[in-house]
Amino acid sequence: HKVDMEKLLGGQIGLEDFIFAHTKGQRKEVEVFKSEEALGLTITDNGAGYAFIKRIKEGSVIDRIPVISVGDMIEAINGQSLVGARHYEVAKMLKELPKGRTFALKLTEPRKAFDMISQRAAGGRGGSTPLGSGRGTLRLRARGPATVEEQPSAFEERAISKVDDLLESYMGIRDTELAATMVELGRDARDPDALAQALDAQLGDFAFPDEFVFDVWGAIGDAKVGR
């Protein structure tokens, strides 16, 4: 087996997956010149106060800094500790950093202990009984207990993709975890006002503009009818 960062850091664990621990490794302090509004980072968190780099966009500002890697824990920005922050709070802070200025990132990379582990060849030992269908996922939540749920429906996948595109257009970030949270909040909303109230209650720190909320409402509606 090899580590799948999408599942390891994405808050959704298949019933037949292994769970690996993120053990702190080398600490790194990096100065980054923000030459563009979008840094090319997707951030996630483990629900326990630690935010991680989930994805780095190819050719982006961060991609051009080899020392920064997927899996790094973001410990501080410009000396401000991020321990205890949610992924969207970290993304918002990075977005608000002024363009044309240098900022400092304090990172902790995971201890790498998987180099000798590779994908198991097909046709392994027969006769084993599967533990489950593999379609269920364990959803980790900041509030409330973890729950076993089915994988995202086709509607949810379409809606998350559309909302993720809107996040990049309005905020310069791509964050599928944040998009999934917004789709979950908007799935049963009666109208844009209800969606706005739900977003304010859960994600009020973002202060989403009205036109953005209206576009999110439209994107979720389009996804429901298969567009």
Side-chain angles (χ1 to χ4, degrees), residues 3 12 24 115:
V3 176
Q12 298 202 4
K24 289 183 178 179
D115 293 341

Side-chain angles (χ1 to χ4, degrees), residues 6-22:
E6 291 292 323
K7 293 182 179 178
L8 182 68
L9 299 180
Q12 298 202 4
I13 302 169
L15 294 176
E16 294 179 330
D17 290 340
F18 285 103
I19 301 176
F20 294 97
H22 182 293

Side-chain angles (χ1 to χ4, degrees), residues 32-220:
V32 180
F33 179 71
K34 190 175 183 182
S35 58
E36 303 172 22
E37 288 290 345
L39 293 169
L41 281 179
T42 298
I43 310 296
T44 190
D45 66 67
N46 63 358
Y50 295 98
F52 300 87
I53 297 175
K54 180 178 179 180
R55 188 179 301 112
I56 298 175
K57 185 177 181 180
E58 186 175 354
S60 64
V61 173
I62 297 298
D63 188 45
R64 296 194 289 269
I65 305 175
V67 72
I68 300 177
S69 304
V70 167
D72 286 352
M73 188 262 284
I74 304 177
E75 190 171 336
I77 297 175
N78 285 336
Q80 180 176 344
S81 175
L82 297 175
V83 176
R86 296 302 310 277
H87 64 277
Y88 49 80
E89 294 172 316
V90 178
K92 182 172 183 285
M93 187 179 297
L94 290 169
K95 169 64 177 174
E96 291 176 345
L97 291 169
K99 182 181 176 181
R101 301 276 296 276
T102 298
F103 66 94
L105 271 181
K106 189 174 183 180
L107 307 165
T108 302
E109 69 179 31
R111 185 174 297 166
K112 297 176 177 63
F114 308 113
D115 293 341
M116 75 295 294
I117 303 175
S118 60
Q119 187 72 30
R120 186 171 61 182
R125 183 180 301 173
S128 61
T129 302
L131 298 177
S133 68
R135 290 190 56 78
T137 59
L138 179 65
R139 181 72 181 272
L140 306 177
R141 301 178 184 275
R143 298 183 181 87
T147 57
V148 177
E149 301 176 356
E150 288 299 307
Q151 289 182 342
S153 65
F155 147 68
E156 289 170 326
E157 290 181 348
R158 286 193 301 270
I160 289 169
S161 176
K162 288 175 178 290
V163 173
D164 200 22
D165 289 342
L166 289 172
L167 283 170
E168 184 173 38
S169 297
Y170 277 85
M171 302 180 62
I173 62 171
R174 297 194 69 87
D175 189 333
T176 53
E177 293 298 312
L178 178 57
T181 298
M182 296 174 71
V183 169
E184 185 176 345
L185 292 172
R187 182 173 48 200
D188 300 320
R190 301 180 307 277
D191 51 46
D193 288 339
L195 173 60
Q197 291 175 7
L199 292 175
D200 284 343
Q202 294 291 324
L203 304 170
D205 290 343
F206 278 102
F208 292 122
D210 291 342
E211 60 270 21
F212 174 74
V213 174
F214 189 81
D215 284 350
V216 169
W217 169 259
I220 294 173

